[in-house]
Amino acid sequence: MPDLNGDGVRDLLLGSSQGFYWIEGNADLSFQQNRELRTGVLGGTTLGIGDLDGDGAADLVGIDLSTNQVVVLSAGGTRFATLAVGALNPAAVAVGQLDGQGGDDLAVTYKGTVDHLSYFRGGSGAPVDVSIAACTGGFLQTGRFAAGSSLDLLLCCADRVQLLIGAGDGTFTPGLPFAIAQPGGKEVGAPAIADFDGDGDLDVMILQLPVTGATSADLVLLENIDGRGTLTARPLPVSVPVSVSALVDVGDVNGDSKPDLVIGERMPSAPTPLTVLLNVSR
């Protein structure tokens, strides 16, 4: 929830197949009526927020489903620009300080099986290809997993979760992949990133369906054991009743300064309660 208009109050940004929507926050924790920023732009899991042009204001990045282009909304959603990504269909975007030169950058993954992601310095110009092992349904998140001067990328494919460790100059070194355990396994929603074990390093929590069509998901903690992005899988003794459209998020639910998990459904056919898993690890 960024502050999109610079008034010191956080706002909500929503995305759907119809467009970006900005819900302005008030100081009393209430929200104003949503305002459409751009029609035909998909947000949700493909949404990125950062200062790409260095003007101190938030820029919004998404994917235009009608054209399969990466789009950038600036100046409060009033300025619209597209980025050329070739013939491939973008799957997800991630924004963050990736090259150690100040300002935010943009990374893009693609649908289908591809062997690279595109990296835009400052969110513009010609993209630089970052080589990866073939990835289907690539999803990206940013975080400082290796304590370097710039952010790293967490790559999530249909068959694996893998860190791309940033060198601070816009180049990345692939870490060891965590392969999905079952042949029909599938990650559900976006992984949750937080310091779950309290050692000061970012860890990754994923929901993994044991077989296709299953109605429950297994939790696996990818623990950053050395502060340098070495992820070790630790299955947790918890099975969560969810469908394939489940979403997972992280936050301190009970005020004990430990990250907890909240799990829900993306598009439930009936009212579905949220599942809250409290962190009792430390």
Side-chain angles (χ1 to χ4, degrees):
M1 291 193 300
D3 175 13
L4 295 180
N5 59 353
D7 64 356
V9 179
R10 289 191 173 188
D11 309 308
L12 289 176
L13 185 64
L14 303 178
S16 73
S17 57
Q18 285 73 49
F20 277 141
Y21 294 88
W22 171 29
I23 304 176
E24 187 175 350
N26 300 317
D28 60 359
L29 301 183
S30 64
F31 293 91
Q32 300 180 25
Q33 183 67 29
N34 62 300
R35 179 164 68 90
E36 187 177 62
L37 293 179
R38 181 74 183 184
T39 301
V41 180
L42 174 67
T45 57
T46 64
L47 180 65
I49 303 174
D51 183 8
L52 296 175
D53 53 12
D55 64 355
D59 302 307
L60 316 177
V61 184
I63 296 172
D64 188 331
L65 292 181
S66 63
T67 62
N68 284 318
Q69 289 181 310
V70 176
V71 298
V72 179
L73 300 178
S74 304
T78 61
R79 189 166 65 248
F80 176 82
T82 61
L83 294 175
V85 293
L88 295 173
N89 295 334
V93 297
V95 176
Q97 210 295 302
L98 298 171
D99 64 0
Q101 297 183 17
D104 289 323
D105 310 295
L106 169 64
V108 182
T109 55
Y110 301 96
K111 300 176 184 177
T113 301
V114 294
D115 57 3
H116 70 278
L117 60 90
S118 294
Y119 167 62
F120 293 84
R121 293 179 183 270
S124 63
V128 177
D129 282 346
V130 176
S131 296
I132 56 176
C135 178
T136 300
F139 182 81
L140 280 175
Q141 289 175 277
T142 60
R144 188 166 280 108
F145 293 90
S149 60
S150 60
L151 296 176
D152 310 302
L153 292 171
L154 178 67
L155 174 67
C156 303
C157 306
D159 62 343
R160 73 185 189 279
V161 176
Q162 187 173 20
L163 274 177
L164 303 175
I165 305 298
D169 59 359
T171 62
F172 300 87
T173 300
L176 293 176
F178 167 70
I180 302 304
Q182 301 293 335
K186 181 179 178 61
E187 295 158 77
V188 181
I193 298 176
D195 178 15
F196 290 103
D197 56 8
D199 63 356
D201 304 315
L202 282 181
D203 310 299
V204 181
M205 189 78 72
I206 65 170
L207 279 171
Q208 181 183 318
L209 287 176
V211 292
T212 300
T215 57
S216 64
D218 298 322
L219 277 173
V220 179
L221 173 64
L222 303 182
E223 194 170 6
N224 188 352
I225 60 172
D226 58 4
R228 297 193 296 272
T230 302
L231 299 180
T232 297
R234 181 156 64 91
L236 301 184
V238 177
S239 185
V240 183
V242 296
S243 76
V244 72
S245 65
L247 294 171
V248 59
D249 204 353
V250 62
D252 182 9
V253 174
N254 57 353
D256 63 356
S257 299
K258 295 186 292 187
D260 308 304
L261 289 177
V262 179
I263 302 168
E265 299 287 344
R266 181 181 289 112
M267 297 180 65
S269 57
T272 305
L274 295 173
T275 299
V276 178
L277 301 176
L278 298 178
N279 188 339
V280 296
S281 63
R282 48 188 167 91

